[in-house]
Each structure stands twice: as structure tokens, then as C-alpha cells.
Amino acid sequence: MDLSSALPTFVITLREGVEAALVVGIVLAYLKKARQSHLTPWVYSGVGVGLAASGLVGVLLSWFVQNLGQSNEKYGPVFEPLLEGVFSLMAIGLLSWMLIWMTQNARTLKTDVEGAIHAALNQAKAGWGVFALIFFAVIREGFETVLFISAKFQQGLVPALGALAGLAGAVAIGVMLFKLGIRLNLRKFFMMMGVLLLLIVAGLVVTALGHFDVALNALASLDRKSAALCFFQERFVKAENRACILGPMVWNFSKVLPDDRFPGVILSALFGYTQRLFMVQGVAYGVFLITVGGIYFQSLTGKVSLPFKKMARISTRG
């Protein structure tokens, strides 16, 4: 069994899981301080239902993809990579947003959560308020992982195993912080995990473009009317180096560093390395790192553009 595809989901789930664990820990500590420990079962119920809902979303997405491909055998080779590409784009957007948003709001996380739990305790049905706070914190992080796994559904259950391992690691860190009183440098943890996550998502950009290229290539081979969609293939690129929408080949390392053997398989799983890289993929990779990476590193120092800060404040209030 090739476990390399479990690595990126482990990293993502570990980071997102620690974020959720921090919220849960802050809520439990506040309830204890406010002598409202009888509401603790609502916290664990929120965690359980949030995890179950995230898993259910993953199962439904997998069922949808499989049935869509089987419902039309002719266009099955088109639907499968197309949906992988779509899920990849959704995961890219959501993970990028949460990476920057969490970095920007990490300093006020404890204050924000305590303010939310204080408001919930002042409601008539305080238990439901606590439940909702935890549920949405868990499912938000869980949905990001589910999308990432759905974007890699061809790799079977291995990515899901990575997610379970990451979840176990997040729980262990939460216990160390709030039960055992062990001090961890969370700022450095999130900074290192953030850089790693940034590279993983950048690799997903390359992978997503590859999925769209495969889908449009398959569509063009099934229907000659769609051949014009393969813009570079039809107009510019020579036969031996052609790609449907990705332009000319930048490199071919299939003999030097194949992506189906170690260490290429690890680089492919973690960072989207491909033994054959095309121009559009390389450009998109660079643009993503420059734009999203630039915003992320600015957020580490608190220097983020005004529109993003406004959006973050709106999200926090919601």
C-alpha cells in the first residue's frame, strides 16, 4: 500500500484540527471558570456531530462522483477528472482563505471565542448556543479536509487514513495543552504548518490544471466539435510536446525523477510535483505563490491589505 497520498491530508487535518481543538479547549476552560461545567456535554456533542457531518459530506461527495461517472459511460472519462479539478479549485480557495484568515486573527482568537461563549451563556437555551459554536468550528475545519480528499478520490481510502491520523494528532495536542498543561509554541507551530500548507495548496494548483487538461483532452477525443477547446494543442504546440490547454512542456523528468517512485512520489503527494510540467502549470504555480504567499507572509506581521481585513472582520462577526 502506497501511503504517500496520506501525507498531505495528515498535514491539513493536523493543522485544521489544532485550530478546532483550540476553540474547544478555550470553551471548556471558560465554562469551568464560569462554573457552568454542566454544559460540557454540549461541547462534546458539538464535536461529535461536527465530525459526523463532515464525514457524511465526504461520503455524499464520493457517492455523487461515482454515480455521475457510471450514469454516462461515454463521458465517464470526462466527468471524473473534471470533478477532481472542480473539487481541487474549491479546496484551493477555501484552504487559502482559512490559512490567511486564521493567521490574521490568531492574536484575538481567545478573546473572540470567549466573547461568543459569553453571549451564548446569556441566552435562554445556553446549551444549544454552546453546541452551535463548537459544531460550526469543527465542521468548518472538517469541510476543508473533505474537499481536499474529494479532489483526490482516485487514490482510494489512503487520504482518509491520513486525515484520521491528523485528527488523532490534533486531539493529542489539545490534550497536552488543556489537560496536561504542557506549553507549546503555537505561533511557531502554525507558522511552520502554514508554510507547508501553502506549498501543498500551490501543488494542488498544478494538479487541478492537470485534471482539467485530461478532461478536455478526453472530451475532444470523444467529440470533434470540442477539439477547439484544446487551444494549445490545435494551434501552437508540436505533436511530441503537446498538451490540451497547458501549453508547451517546461520539463520532462520522467527518467531522472519519476513521480511514481521514491522520492518523486513523496514530492508529488505533498507538493504536486509532476515529472512532466507544462508552461501554464508553471506560471499558475508561480502566480499563486507570489500572490497568496505574499498575503500570507504579510499577515504574519499584521500587514494585510485593507479589503482583506474588512472581509476577515465580517467573517468573524458572522
Side-chain angles (χ1 to χ4, degrees):
M1 180 185 294
D2 180 15
L3 297 177
S4 59
S5 58
L7 293 175
T9 50
F10 169 78
V11 172
I12 290 173
T13 309
L14 178 62
R15 187 188 186 280
E16 307 304 323
V18 169
E19 290 181 15
L22 288 177
V23 174
V24 172
I26 292 170
V27 170
L28 289 174
Y30 189 92
L31 290 177
K32 184 177 181 180
K33 182 179 179 181
R35 298 182 180 179
Q36 299 289 329
S37 297
H38 63 282
L39 295 175
T40 298
W42 289 93
V43 175
Y44 293 116
S45 297
V47 173
V49 175
L51 290 175
S54 299
L56 179 60
V57 170
V59 171
L60 291 176
L61 284 177
S62 177
W63 175 85
F64 172 73
V65 170
Q66 291 177 357
N67 280 270
L68 187 60
Q70 294 173 0
S71 64
N72 194 322
E73 294 184 4
K74 179 181 178 181
Y75 289 100
V78 179
F79 287 142
E80 205 166 280
L82 181 63
L83 286 174
E84 283 186 278
V86 171
F87 288 144
S88 295
L89 285 183
M90 294 172 65
I92 290 166
L94 191 56
L95 287 169
S96 299
W97 165 257
M98 290 309 301
L99 171 65
I100 301 170
W101 183 88
M102 180 60 187
T103 304
Q104 179 65 21
N105 290 274
R107 299 177 184 86
T108 60
L109 177 65
K110 188 173 186 291
T111 303
D112 292 341
V113 173
E114 288 183 345
I117 192 65
H118 177 76
L121 293 179
N122 289 330
Q123 296 176 359
K125 297 181 179 179
W128 284 108
V130 173
F131 173 87
L133 175 64
I134 298 298
F135 171 78
F136 285 113
V138 172
I139 199 171
R140 182 186 65 192
E141 312 300 346
F143 187 64
E144 296 169 15
T145 307
V146 165
L147 269 182
F148 187 85
I149 294 175
S150 299
K152 296 178 175 292
F153 66 87
Q154 280 187 334
Q155 297 172 349
L157 294 175
V158 177
L161 295 178
L164 290 176
L167 180 63
V171 171
I173 290 176
V175 170
M176 287 190 295
L177 288 173
F178 295 101
K179 290 291 185 181
L180 303 180
I182 298 176
R183 290 184 176 275
L184 297 177
N185 192 326
L186 290 176
R187 185 176 182 276
K188 287 186 177 179
F189 170 82
F190 280 116
M191 185 172 66
M192 291 188 296
M193 295 296 288
V195 172
L196 190 56
L197 181 58
L198 181 68
L199 293 174
I200 289 174
V201 178
L204 195 58
V205 172
V206 174
T207 304
L209 289 171
H211 290 321
F212 287 123
D213 185 78
V214 171
L216 291 178
N217 218 346
L219 181 61
S221 65
L222 292 173
D223 181 7
R224 290 303 303 170
K225 295 180 180 179
S226 303
L229 293 173
C230 292
F231 184 77
F232 285 102
Q233 190 181 69
E234 290 290 316
R235 295 173 180 262
F236 296 108
V237 185
K238 296 180 180 180
E240 63 268 18
N241 290 323
R242 65 184 180 181
C244 183
I245 59 172
L246 300 180
M249 188 181 295
V250 176
W251 70 52
N252 185 348
F253 291 162
S254 56
K255 295 182 179 180
V256 180
L257 189 62
D259 54 20
D260 59 349
R261 297 178 185 176
F262 182 85
V265 65
I266 302 297
L267 296 175
S268 177
L270 273 176
F271 308 123
Y273 164 78
T274 176
Q275 61 189 18
R276 294 181 179 87
L277 182 73
F278 293 88
M279 180 188 69
V280 173
Q281 290 174 309
V283 171
Y285 183 87
V287 169
F288 178 86
L289 283 182
I290 292 172
T291 55
V292 177
I295 296 173
Y296 169 67
F297 285 110
Q298 284 183 338
S299 69
L300 289 175
T301 59
K303 298 177 181 179
V304 181
S305 60
L306 186 58
F308 186 86
K309 286 185 176 181
K310 289 182 178 178
M311 293 171 68
R313 284 197 293 268
I314 292 171
S315 176
T316 304
R317 291 170 185 169

